[in-house]
Amino acid sequence: MSRLQSSINTASADFRRNEAHNRRLVAEFKAKQDAARHARPQRDLDRLARQQKMPQRKRIEMLLDPGTPFLELSSLAANMAYGGESPSASSIVGIGMICGREVMIRADDPTVKGGAWYPLTVKKIVRALDIAMENRLPVVHLCDSAGGFLQLQSELFPDRYMGGRIFRNQSLLSKMGVKQLALVFGHCTAGGAYIPGLSDYSVIVRGTGAVFLGGPPLVKAATGEDVTVEELGGAEMHTSVSGTCDYPADSEEHAIEIGRDIVAQWDRLPRWEAQCEAPEEPFYDPAELYGIVPDDIKKAFDMREIIARIVDGSRFHEYKPNYGTTLVCGFANIWGFKVGILANNGVLFNDSSIKGAHFIELCNQNNTPLVFLQNITGYMVGREYERRGITKDGAKMIMAQSCSRVPKFTVMCNGSFGAGNYGMCGRAFDGRFLFSWPNHQIGVMGGDQAANTLAEVKANQMKRNGGAVDQSEIDRLWEETRRAYQEQLSAYHSTSELWDDGIIDPLDTRNALGVAISASLNAPLGPPGYGVFRF
């Protein structure tokens, strides 16, 4: 592969302006992330100390192999929900190494309402277990939860992708032979009791760990029976009488020691053999990404400059460089792993859509994982392009992408609008992982376009009703629409709703993709095949 030639002038005014803008965005993101991870009322921290409990991040640190990375997912989930009272959706999720094995770690956060599950907590847990199933990753549950947040029970209990989906996914993981370990540090109440109940292995801490469908107050209310926590669901009872848990532990440190020893016994499933070479750092400085991405979502930039600062050696074999030029396609390595990259350099026309579909087929033929770098306003619209068949050509790309057997990874580098989100492997298309940059925006269309569209519809409605166009009413509708869109388009709204697997600093993109690609190799490739392509 040849090295990409960068044309970026790092001394230019545009570069410096972009760099200052994006550094501000990243600083804001990191401040929000730090608060979500660590800012807790002192009373909650004091309560943990009185109970001789460690903070969850300390538990995870002790559980992981020293010096190994931990890819945290969705750290700002629920950041715009519930008045901010559920930081990180009251849970920690991520991929790390335990005894040399890649595992999914899922931890309740007892500093937030006793670890109670909000609706977005449930969504985050379900997503974590989906990732575990898709990538055949063993799961370690760090349990310390008061159960569902009862005031919002209608939003977390009855439907298909609500609470029951957690336990359905746990059952399927076990059926697939993917191991699960529950470390019970605190109470596992109501539905939370099924986490250790459905895990293949479980460890419970004496004195603080407890598992029961209903705690002492509920038992008293329902049956009139007076019973203590220990009698109802403590470590001694569950490890010597009920058999619900396997190992008692004298302390949290002891439980983690037992847990690591259990994971060390697990067999290693064979990984599929992706093409891999010795890793090489990018030739160009990744910090230059800050100066490349514009300070205005509407400004264009060359995605090759992004690729050059993510891939090994900044080397890239571009496919069909002179055809369908608004979509850059080609092969590269990321942390040694061979990947096929599709990156937007403008709107998707007929030729770029066909090129993308063809390239996706080649990657599937070659067992090469796909990386989508999104900066897309959509597929081209208009009479000329419809006559050329833009709808069916876009459908070809969507068909090829949807039916891919190789792992897919998406990075939202800038805008993601309209059906272009679909062709470029948006959330609905089951990519293994999807990450966003802080500047990212996503929507059916941009805020100005939505405001202009509704303003025009309103004006036409006024004319049809026989009245004069009230420009003040049109202006009010335009401003309200634009303001609402701008809030909903933001990366923070997207990640709050778990439409991605987390916002990341652009400089961390290469590392995040490296961990994600490595994790994906644990699951076998699916069978080849496509549906009907409309020619």
Side-chain angles (χ1 to χ4, degrees):
M1 293 183 198
S2 60
R3 178 172 294 141
L4 286 164
Q5 297 302 306
S6 177
S7 61
I8 294 297
N9 178 7
T10 59
S12 71
D14 284 347
F15 184 93
R16 290 176 176 174
R17 186 182 63 254
N18 292 339
E19 182 180 37
H21 171 77
N22 286 303
R23 286 190 182 277
R24 283 195 299 270
L25 291 183
V26 170
E28 177 187 358
F29 156 61
K30 290 188 174 179
K32 288 178 180 287
Q33 187 179 62
D34 187 68
R37 286 173 170 174
H38 304 295
R40 299 292 185 274
Q42 189 60 45
R43 66 177 183 275
D44 292 322
L45 300 177
D46 292 342
R47 173 172 50 81
L48 284 193
R50 286 195 306 272
Q51 295 171 343
Q52 296 184 314
K53 289 183 177 182
M54 290 185 281
Q56 279 292 44
R57 293 186 183 278
K58 180 64 176 176
R59 292 168 176 168
I60 293 172
E61 181 184 340
M62 290 188 64
L63 188 62
L64 293 171
D65 293 347
T68 58
F70 178 63
L71 177 61
E72 183 173 355
L73 306 175
S74 301
S75 62
L76 290 179
N79 78 91
M80 296 181 69
Y82 319 124
E85 66 180 27
S86 179
S88 294
S90 310
S91 63
I92 305 167
V93 162
I95 297 171
M97 299 290 290
I98 302 177
C99 298
R101 293 157 175 80
E102 289 171 311
V103 300
M104 170 64 73
I105 296 175
R106 187 210 63 79
D108 300 312
D109 187 346
T111 64
V112 182
K113 303 287 187 184
W117 293 349
Y118 286 73
L120 286 171
T121 313
V122 170
K123 187 174 182 180
K124 186 172 178 177
I125 297 171
V126 170
R127 173 61 184 154
L129 297 180
D130 282 342
I131 291 172
M133 288 195 293
E134 290 165 355
N135 298 286
R136 302 296 196 273
L137 291 175
V139 183
V140 178
H141 304 271
L142 278 59
C143 304
D144 197 345
S145 172
F149 188 64
L150 295 181
Q151 291 93 320
L152 299 174
Q153 65 86 26
S154 66
E155 299 176 44
L156 56 83
F157 172 68
D159 207 356
R160 181 179 182 185
Y161 290 103
M162 294 182 181
R165 194 74 173 187
I166 297 172
F167 315 125
R168 174 261 192 192
N169 282 2
Q170 280 194 270
S171 301
L172 292 185
L173 279 165
S174 189
K175 176 183 177 181
M176 293 161 61
V178 180
K179 282 78 168 175
Q180 295 175 81
L181 164 66
L183 301 179
V184 181
F185 295 112
H187 288 190
C188 295
T189 307
Y194 289 111
I195 296 285
L198 288 166
S199 293
D200 307 300
Y201 305 82
S202 61
V203 181
I204 183 169
V205 178
R206 289 188 174 98
T208 57
V211 178
F212 32 57
L213 296 181
L218 179 59
V219 170
K220 175 67 174 178
T223 69
E225 181 183 9
D226 286 307
V227 62
T228 67
V229 167
E230 286 299 312
E231 291 170 333
L232 187 63
E236 293 303 327
M237 192 281 290
H238 275 315
T239 58
S240 63
V241 179
S242 75
T244 299
C245 297
D246 304 322
Y247 304 88
D250 297 326
S251 65
E252 295 197 354
E253 292 84 353
H254 188 207
I256 291 170
E257 180 184 342
I258 295 171
R260 283 183 53 84
D261 198 34
I262 290 170
V263 174
Q265 314 310 314
W266 291 348
D267 60 344
R268 300 172 188 263
L269 298 177
R271 292 155 62 93
W272 66 274
E273 294 185 8
Q275 293 185 63
C276 192
E277 301 173 9
E280 182 183 357
E281 290 295 317
F283 177 78
Y284 298 104
D285 185 356
E288 292 172 356
L289 290 170
Y290 293 145
I292 294 169
V293 178
D295 60 353
D296 184 342
I297 197 79
K298 298 175 185 176
K299 292 181 180 178
F301 60 96
D302 188 353
M303 195 64 87
R304 293 177 187 85
E305 300 287 358
I306 303 298
I307 295 170
R309 288 154 180 86
I310 292 175
V311 302
D312 290 10
S314 302
R315 302 180 193 283
F316 185 61
H317 174 84
E318 187 166 353
Y319 171 72
K320 281 193 174 181
N322 299 324
Y323 180 79
T325 55
T326 60
L327 184 66
V328 177
C329 300
F331 297 100
N333 286 30
I334 296 177
W335 277 105
F337 298 113
K338 182 77 66 184
V339 296
I341 296 176
L342 294 92
N344 301 118
N345 255 9
V347 67
L348 287 164
F349 290 95
N350 299 74
D351 54 0
S352 47
S353 302
I354 293 169
K355 171 182 171 179
H358 193 177
F359 182 69
I360 290 169
E361 289 182 293
L362 294 178
C363 288
N364 276 267
Q365 181 194 58
N366 198 48
N367 292 342
T368 302
L370 290 161
V371 174
F372 295 84
L373 302 179
Q374 282 209 22
N375 178 30
I376 181 65
T377 55
Y379 289 94
M380 191 60 192
V381 298
R383 180 172 60 183
E384 176 187 352
Y385 299 101
E386 291 295 352
R387 290 174 66 86
R388 291 184 190 176
I390 186 62
T391 298
K392 71 176 182 179
D393 290 339
K396 292 184 184 76
M397 184 175 174
I398 291 172
M399 175 70 76
Q401 185 264 109
S402 300
C403 298
S404 290
R405 67 193 296 257
V406 296
K408 301 177 292 187
F409 309 88
T410 304
V411 181
M412 300 295 199
C413 298
N414 206 41
S416 177
F417 297 105
N421 169 274
Y422 300 160
M424 291 294 293
C425 195
R427 189 61 150 178
F429 291 84
D430 293 332
R432 299 292 181 91
F433 296 87
L434 187 153
F435 301 108
S436 299
W437 287 358
N439 57 298
H440 165 57
Q441 292 185 16
I442 184 170
V444 172
M445 60 183 72
D448 287 352
Q449 294 93 321
N452 291 337
T453 300
L454 287 181
E456 184 174 347
V457 169
K458 185 67 174 178
N460 290 335
Q461 184 184 60
M462 290 176 176
K463 292 175 183 176
R464 284 197 307 271
N465 292 337
V469 174
D470 184 342
Q471 190 58 46
S472 64
E473 175 67 13
I474 297 296
D475 292 344
R476 182 192 62 78
L477 176 64
W478 190 93
E479 184 57 37
E480 287 181 357
T481 302
R482 185 180 183 279
R483 191 183 312 117
Y485 252 74
Q486 287 306 114
E487 179 176 310
Q488 294 174 12
L489 290 172
S490 79
Y492 292 110
H493 183 269
S494 179
T495 203
S496 181
E497 296 295 317
L498 285 125
W499 297 345
D500 60 24
D501 293 312
I503 298 175
I504 59 173
D505 182 340
L507 269 59
D508 292 330
T509 304
R510 172 178 162 81
N511 290 341
L513 286 173
V515 173
I517 294 167
S518 177
S520 76
L521 303 183
N522 292 288
L525 294 176
Y530 293 99
V532 174
F533 287 94
R534 185 174 292 278
F535 291 102

Short mmCIF file of all heavy atoms in Angstrom, two decimals, residues 3 30 248 348 385 477 494 529:
data_model
loop_
_atom_site.label_atom_id
_atom_site.label_comp_id
_atom_site.label_asym_id
_atom_site.label_seq_id
_atom_site.Cartn_x
_atom_site.Cartn_y
_atom_site.Cartn_z
N ARG A 3 1.55 5.30 0.84
CA ARG A 3 1.20 6.25 1.90
C ARG A 3 0.37 7.38 1.31
O ARG A 3 0.68 7.92 0.24
CB ARG A 3 2.46 6.79 2.55
CG ARG A 3 2.21 7.83 3.64
CD ARG A 3 3.48 8.19 4.37
NE ARG A 3 3.97 7.03 5.12
CZ ARG A 3 5.24 6.70 5.24
NH1 ARG A 3 6.18 7.39 4.60
NH2 ARG A 3 5.60 5.64 5.95
N LYS A 30 -14.92 15.91 27.61
CA LYS A 30 -14.18 15.25 28.69
C LYS A 30 -14.64 15.73 30.06
O LYS A 30 -14.67 14.95 31.03
CB LYS A 30 -12.68 15.46 28.50
CG LYS A 30 -12.14 14.67 27.32
CD LYS A 30 -10.62 14.71 27.23
CE LYS A 30 -10.13 13.79 26.12
NZ LYS A 30 -8.66 13.81 25.98
N PRO A 248 -19.02 -18.21 48.48
CA PRO A 248 -19.06 -17.08 49.39
C PRO A 248 -17.69 -16.40 49.44
O PRO A 248 -16.65 -17.06 49.28
CB PRO A 248 -19.39 -17.72 50.75
CG PRO A 248 -18.78 -19.08 50.65
CD PRO A 248 -18.84 -19.50 49.20
N LEU A 348 -24.10 11.07 -1.77
CA LEU A 348 -24.02 9.80 -2.50
C LEU A 348 -24.81 9.90 -3.80
O LEU A 348 -26.03 10.04 -3.80
CB LEU A 348 -24.55 8.65 -1.65
CG LEU A 348 -23.64 8.22 -0.49
CD1 LEU A 348 -24.40 7.37 0.52
CD2 LEU A 348 -22.42 7.47 -1.00
N TYR A 385 -31.78 12.60 -11.10
CA TYR A 385 -31.18 11.47 -10.41
C TYR A 385 -32.19 10.34 -10.20
O TYR A 385 -31.83 9.16 -10.21
CB TYR A 385 -30.58 11.95 -9.10
CG TYR A 385 -29.50 12.97 -9.34
CD1 TYR A 385 -29.77 14.34 -9.18
CD2 TYR A 385 -28.25 12.59 -9.81
CE1 TYR A 385 -28.80 15.29 -9.47
CE2 TYR A 385 -27.27 13.54 -10.09
CZ TYR A 385 -27.56 14.88 -9.92
OH TYR A 385 -26.59 15.82 -10.22
N LEU A 477 -42.41 29.81 13.48
CA LEU A 477 -42.33 28.37 13.23
C LEU A 477 -40.93 27.97 12.82
O LEU A 477 -40.39 26.96 13.29
CB LEU A 477 -43.33 27.98 12.14
CG LEU A 477 -43.31 26.51 11.68
CD1 LEU A 477 -43.71 25.59 12.82
CD2 LEU A 477 -44.25 26.31 10.48
N SER A 494 -27.81 12.19 21.00
CA SER A 494 -27.68 10.87 20.38
C SER A 494 -27.14 9.84 21.37
O SER A 494 -27.68 8.75 21.52
CB SER A 494 -26.76 10.98 19.16
OG SER A 494 -26.58 9.73 18.54
N GLY A 529 -24.31 -14.58 1.44
CA GLY A 529 -25.59 -14.52 0.73
C GLY A 529 -26.20 -13.14 0.78
O GLY A 529 -25.96 -12.37 1.72
#
